[in-house]
Amino acid sequence: MTVKELLDNEAFSIVVEGDLSREIGKIYCCDLLSIVMSKAPADCAWVTVMGNVNAAAVATLADMSCIVLAEGAVADEVMLAKAKDEQINVLWTDLPVFEAALLIKGGENA
C-alpha cells in the first residue's frame, strides 16, 4: 500500500505531504527514539505519539515512508517545518497506536 492509499481511509489525515507514492513496507510502533533509530525498517509507517523535531530527524535517518501521529498527538511547529524541508509524510489519527497499526496492516476502511 502507498501513503496515498492509506489516506483513502477516513481514520487518517495528512499533516505534512511528502511523496505520497511511497510504499509502506512494514509498520513500526515505538516511542523511544533510540530504539526506533536502530530498529525501524526503511519504508515503514511509524506509528507514534512523538510530535517533535527529533521524530522528523529519526524518520529521515531510517528512510521511513511516513510518520503516523496517533492518539490525537500534535506535531510542534519545529517538527512540521523539518518534515516539510525533508518531505516526510506526516499523518494524523485519533486512534490508539495499536488500533492505527492494525488498520494500516489490514488496509480496512473506517
Side-chain angles (χ1 to χ4, degrees):
M1 160 188 332
T2 65
V3 176
K4 183 174 177 27
E5 291 168 334
L6 178 58
L7 286 167
D8 289 341
N9 187 311
E10 294 176 2
F12 301 96
S13 59
I14 192 77
V15 177
V16 176
E17 184 176 328
D19 178 3
L20 295 179
S21 68
R22 289 279 311 252
E23 287 286 332
I24 297 172
K26 296 202 179 240
I27 303 156
Y28 193 79
C29 303
C30 185
D31 293 323
L32 188 56
L33 295 177
S34 59
I35 291 175
V36 177
M37 271 194 311
S38 65
K39 298 191 183 238
D43 300 320
C44 72
W46 176 26
V47 185
T48 184
V49 297
M50 300 296 296
N52 62 43
V53 70
N54 295 327
V58 169
T60 300
L61 287 171
D63 193 25
M64 297 176 180
S65 294
C66 61
I67 299 171
V68 179
L69 294 173
E71 314 234 5
V74 178
D76 66 30
E77 292 302 317
V78 180
M79 183 217 190
L80 295 174
K82 179 72 171 172
K84 286 177 188 169
D85 287 347
E86 297 292 331
Q87 295 197 357
I88 301 165
N89 292 303
V90 179
L91 284 62
W92 181 91
T93 185
D94 60 355
L95 293 172
V97 170
F98 183 73
E99 289 180 27
L102 284 177
L103 204 55
I104 296 166
K105 180 156 179 61
E108 300 168 4
N109 287 324

